[in-house]
Amino acid sequence: MNETILKATTLKKEIASQTTEPIQEFLSKLKEKMQQVFHLRGDINQYAQQRGLPPFVLREIMDTNPLSIGIPVEYGGRGAVMRENLALLETASYESLALSLTFGINSALFLQPVAKYASHEAKAPVFKRFLENKTMGGLMITEPDYGSDALNMQTLFTEDEDHYNLSGKKHWAGLTGWAEFWLLTARQQTAKGDLQRDIDFFICDVTQPGQSIKVEEFYDNLGLYQIPYGRNHIDVSIPKTHKLTPHSTGVKMMLDLLHRSRMQFPGMGMGFIHRMLDEGLNHCKQRLVGGKSLFNYDQVQERLSKLQASFTVCSAMCANSAKNAGLDKDLTGIGIEANAVKSVITDLMQQAAQSVTQLVGAKAYRNSHVAGRGIVDSRPFQIFEGSNDILYAQISEGILKQMKRLKESNLFDFMKSNPLTSRSADQLKELFNFKLDFQLPQRKLVELGQIMGRVISMDMVHKLGDEGFHKDLIDGGIEMLHQEILQLMGSFHRNSQIQVIDNYQENSSWLRYTI
């Protein structure tokens, strides 16, 4: 008994020391542990070709208590400080995008919403398990028949005296079968059998009676092999104490949660793009082609400079999120900004992996190479938590709505007065000084969203430059974004609309025309 008490006391002292040490020291311990398990005791390039992670790898990494960053101080954590969470994601993604996403799922999609919206009665035991037992948690929103159409989810709940009873199906939840805790989303069933419009969130503990979640299938996901995904059957009974309490409506709570999560994508992108940049620079400096270093070729310089510019843009996004996306902020209404951050940074992540693979050549076209693997690992980031095509269209819809409300049709004048774009508006006046058609087809909404996402990103880069960030890097980041805006503008102003030919098989065999 005394030995048990001693171990518990020692553990509490270790946790307390971890929560008070400077963040750089805290992250240094994580870096050391990743170096040991990924490079000294094992080979990360071999792990990346297998499903899951060897148990000792996750155990050793979790021993550093990385998820304490997402837990409030009053519950023994480091305080759920946004800058620290972004730094954690950056540190992990330099070595493993899958590990960083694992941390992101736990923090942005479980710990942060629980910290903000759960009752003390629910929070205390959950956070205790995270700190002492190194458990994990995730979020289930997506359903097999209602992917991006979350508001029409069919998972339902009814209530009795002490419990909420949930039933339905969820899929593509990261950490399927691993996590002990889940935030489950559902709509209340009325007496008539209909489902209410609003959405509620419930904390499910799969270790408790009546709360087990059945995994019906594990998916053979392309990339991110270390993270299990699958289809889940929900038939659980949740104590009434474990329902999240929205500040207004459940839909607004979901928006606050998702927008905050999207604002944290740059943390995962930061370490990944940094790694791609280092890999590209090191390879090109060492590789000799035609008697000179690959680094000295002009096209190579073009690719490397864009990688460096992406590094700068991501740095600006991280600084912006650190200041503006904390748990004390209500992010319900920042859809334009959050969608821009998520979509632009994930595009840049994919471009970075593609570019380094091109620079390295055949050697990178393997699962065991960080760049080639990075192509498939970064690709789903453009899809989950909102497909980028949808998010870009939503950016445009949000901007058009604001312009209509202001009775402003000139895009430059709107940008000049909008806090998300005012810093960059003047240098882009020549491109944006025109009246915008409010009746845009969907494909033009996507193109305009791509453009405005990069203008919003440019504003963030300017603001980081104002703070004293490396001027040459700032100039490179602004120039790259300017080039992309120019290219996208050319497409936006072109009015041709290619349509699908339904009976394309008719007169379309080239072989007939070679006789």
Side-chain angles (χ1 to χ4, degrees):
M1 184 67 177
N2 289 337
E3 184 178 349
T4 302
I5 295 174
L6 180 61
K7 286 182 178 179
T9 303
T10 303
L11 178 61
K12 288 180 180 179
K13 288 181 179 179
E14 289 176 355
I15 292 172
S17 66
Q18 289 170 342
T19 59
T20 56
E21 66 184 333
I23 184 61
Q24 291 300 341
E25 292 181 17
F26 182 86
L27 294 176
S28 291
K29 293 178 181 178
L30 175 61
K31 290 179 183 178
E32 291 174 7
K33 192 66 72 172
M34 289 192 297
Q35 177 68 18
Q36 290 176 17
V37 299
F38 287 148
H39 301 290
L40 299 179
R41 294 177 57 188
D43 182 358
I44 189 173
N45 293 318
Q46 288 186 355
Y47 301 157
Q49 300 175 63
Q50 305 164 1
R51 296 285 172 182
L53 276 171
F56 89 91
V57 172
L58 202 55
R59 183 179 64 248
E60 292 287 317
I61 288 173
M62 295 302 286
D63 273 349
T64 65
N65 248 330
L67 298 181
S68 63
I69 279 180
I71 296 174
V73 171
E74 57 267 35
Y75 294 95
R78 289 187 60 90
V81 178
M82 185 52 63
R83 64 184 293 272
E84 291 196 358
N85 192 72
L86 292 164
L88 170 68
L89 299 178
E90 175 188 4
T91 301
S93 63
Y94 189 88
E95 288 288 354
S96 168
L97 196 52
L99 178 63
S100 184
L101 180 56
T102 297
F103 290 162
I105 292 168
N106 275 279
S107 56
L109 299 182
F110 184 80
L111 290 172
Q112 290 171 15
V114 168
K116 185 167 184 176
Y117 294 107
S119 66
H120 170 73
E121 188 176 355
K123 283 190 279 194
V126 169
F127 292 149
K128 178 181 174 66
R129 293 252 296 276
F130 267 81
L131 290 171
E132 296 183 2
N133 299 348
K134 313 302 186 292
T135 190
M136 292 194 290
L139 169 68
M140 290 188 183
I141 291 182
T142 307
E143 298 184 1
D145 296 323
Y146 298 88
S148 299
D149 190 15
L151 294 180
N152 282 317
M153 68 177 63
Q154 296 300 295
T155 300
L156 59 86
F157 75 90
T158 58
E159 61 178 304
D160 55 35
E161 187 175 348
D162 299 314
H163 294 84
Y164 295 103
N165 305 300
L166 283 68
S167 62
K169 290 190 185 297
K170 301 288 186 181
H171 75 161
W172 284 115
L175 308 180
T176 290
W178 274 14
E180 290 187 359
F181 288 105
W182 289 99
L183 275 186
L184 302 180
T185 55
R187 296 197 290 158
Q188 187 168 21
Q189 187 177 50
T190 67
K192 295 180 180 180
D194 301 327
L195 298 183
Q196 292 186 353
R197 174 174 169 75
D198 206 15
I199 293 170
D200 285 292
F201 288 72
F202 305 85
I203 302 172
C204 177
D205 180 355
V206 300
T207 67
Q208 297 302 305
Q211 298 186 50
S212 176
I213 295 176
K214 180 183 178 182
V215 180
E216 295 181 331
E217 177 189 1
F218 282 106
Y219 292 156
D220 55 342
N221 42 291
L222 177 65
L224 297 172
Y225 287 173
Q226 294 77 45
I227 300 179
Y229 292 90
R231 185 178 69 252
N232 301 274
H233 177 70
I234 310 296
D235 185 9
V236 297
S237 183
I238 308 293
K240 286 202 167 179
T241 53
H242 284 54
K243 178 177 175 287
L244 299 192
T245 303
H247 297 167
S248 55
T249 67
V251 170
K252 288 185 176 181
M253 179 168 61
M254 182 172 71
L255 289 174
D256 179 57
L257 181 162
L258 291 177
H259 290 165
R260 183 169 291 100
S261 177
R262 289 169 187 167
M263 293 288 280
Q264 292 171 73
F265 271 60
M268 294 180 283
M270 192 71 250
F272 180 76
I273 292 174
H274 191 176
R275 178 65 178 276
M276 292 298 107
L277 175 59
D278 286 350
E279 291 288 333
L281 287 170
N282 292 336
H283 173 79
C284 293
K285 288 178 180 178
Q286 295 170 11
R287 179 72 165 171
L288 297 178
V289 176
K292 65 177 182 178
S293 168
L294 194 61
F295 184 79
N296 295 317
Y297 283 87
D298 184 56
Q299 176 59 21
V300 172
Q301 282 286 311
E302 167 77 1
R303 287 192 178 276
L304 291 175
S305 65
K306 285 187 175 180
L307 279 167
Q308 206 163 61
S310 296
F311 170 88
T312 304
V313 173
C314 193
S315 298
M317 289 180 173
C318 284
N320 177 70
S321 293
K323 295 175 182 176
N324 300 315
L327 282 180
D328 58 323
K329 306 285 198 308
D330 179 5
L331 304 189
T332 302
I334 68 155
I336 292 175
E337 181 179 2
N339 289 357
V341 166
K342 186 270 181 184
S343 51
V344 172
I345 195 55
T346 54
D347 281 355
L348 294 180
M349 289 167 68
Q350 176 67 191
Q351 291 171 19
Q354 292 280 359
S355 201
V356 175
T357 299
Q358 191 72 24
L359 288 170
V360 174
K363 185 180 178 181
Y365 196 65
R366 299 186 299 182
N367 239 346
S368 59
H369 193 282
V370 67
R373 185 168 70 245
I375 291 175
V376 291
D377 281 353
S378 64
R379 184 64 180 89
F381 282 71
Q382 295 173 294
I383 300 171
F384 58 57
E385 276 202 45
S387 166
N388 282 8
D389 279 358
I390 294 174
L391 298 186
Y392 281 132
Q394 288 178 349
I395 290 170
S396 296
E397 289 165 354
I399 288 172
L400 291 174
K401 184 177 180 180
Q402 290 184 14
M403 291 179 72
K404 289 176 182 177
R405 187 170 64 247
L406 295 170
K407 297 182 179 179
E408 177 61 75
S409 60
N410 184 283
L411 188 52
F412 166 73
D413 290 340
F414 170 77
M415 288 168 52
K416 186 67 176 173
S417 64
N418 191 292
L420 294 177
T421 55
S422 59
R423 184 66 175 79
S424 301
D426 284 336
Q427 77 177 98
L428 299 170
K429 182 175 181 178
E430 185 178 341
L431 293 173
F432 289 89
N433 194 17
F434 64 90
K435 288 189 176 182
L436 188 62
D437 181 2
F438 287 174
Q439 302 301 317
L440 291 172
Q442 189 179 52
R443 67 183 69 188
K444 292 301 178 183
L445 289 174
V446 173
E447 289 177 352
L448 179 62
Q450 291 173 328
I451 293 164
M452 297 307 297
R454 281 149 183 82
V455 176
I456 292 167
S457 302
M458 185 183 286
D459 245 54
M460 295 178 188
V461 175
H462 272 301
K463 290 171 183 175
L464 184 63
D466 294 342
E467 297 291 330
F469 197 81
H470 196 303
K471 185 179 184 303
D472 292 338
L473 292 178
I474 293 293
D475 291 344
I478 291 171
E479 178 60 27
M480 180 192 74
L481 290 170
H482 203 155
Q483 287 177 11
E484 290 195 359
I485 291 168
L486 277 168
Q487 294 168 358
L488 290 164
M489 268 296 193
S491 175
F492 178 72
H493 286 303
R494 187 172 177 85
N495 292 322
S496 63
Q497 294 219 0
I498 303 172
Q499 300 294 330
V500 176
I501 308 302
D502 193 32
N503 59 336
Y504 73 93
Q505 295 93 342
E506 183 179 347
N507 295 330
S508 62
S509 172
W510 66 268
L511 192 59
R512 292 175 56 188
Y513 305 102
T514 59
I515 300 174

